[in-house]
Amino acid sequence: MIFQLGSALLDACVLAVLNRGDTYGYVLTQNIKEIVEISESTLYPVLRRLQKDNSLTTYDMAYQGRNRRYYAITPQGKARLDYYLGEWNDYKYKLDKILYGGNENEQV
C-alpha cells in the first residue's frame, strides 16, 4: 500500500482489533498485517503508548510453560476508539468527495 498510516490511525486499528477480543502481540500483529504493512517493531511502541494512556491493559497467561502477554481494551480505550471512528467517517467522507467528485449536498 502506498498510503502511510499515521500514529492516530494506527492507534485506531490496534484498538479496533482489541475491541473484538483480547489477544497477544503476535496475533495482533498478524491481524493488522492482513490489511496494512506493519512490523512487530512498529507495533510494540504503539501498544506501550496506548497502555500508558490507559487505553489498554495487559495481563499474562501461561502457555506451554511460558507466559504470553495479552492486551485488552479498557473503557477509556473504547471511548477513544469511538472518537477515532467518528473522525475517520468524517475524514473518509471528505476524501471521497475530493477523489470521486460531487458537491456538498450529495452523499458519496
Side-chain angles (χ1 to χ4, degrees):
M1 178 182 282
I2 64 170
F3 299 104
Q4 298 293 315
L5 281 178
S7 64
L9 191 51
L10 189 52
D11 288 359
C13 289
V14 168
L15 291 171
V17 170
L18 290 174
N19 197 43
R20 296 181 202 124
D22 301 358
T23 192
Y24 57 99
Y26 176 79
V27 170
L28 181 60
T29 304
Q30 296 308 307
N31 284 324
I32 293 176
K33 271 182 152 178
E34 290 176 5
I35 308 302
V36 295
E37 293 289 323
I38 187 173
S39 67
E40 288 181 35
S41 63
T42 300
L43 182 66
Y44 284 103
V46 172
L47 292 170
R48 283 191 295 275
R49 181 176 64 246
L50 289 171
Q51 186 178 6
K52 182 179 176 190
D53 291 345
N54 296 316
S55 294
L56 60 85
T57 187
T58 63
Y59 60 92
D60 293 336
M61 280 183 91
Y63 178 78
Q64 296 182 347
R66 294 176 43 179
N67 278 340
R68 278 188 177 161
R69 173 138 306 160
Y70 282 78
Y71 297 88
I73 193 167
T74 63
Q76 186 171 333
K78 288 182 182 194
R80 188 173 187 174
L81 175 59
D82 288 343
Y83 173 75
Y84 283 147
L85 291 174
E87 289 291 309
W88 172 254
N89 285 328
D90 185 50
Y91 182 70
K92 182 181 176 301
Y93 172 75
K94 289 175 181 176
L95 279 178
D96 283 348
K97 277 180 40 179
I98 292 171
L99 295 173
Y100 298 113
N103 63 44
E104 221 169 283
N105 297 324
E106 280 183 28
Q107 289 287 339
V108 177

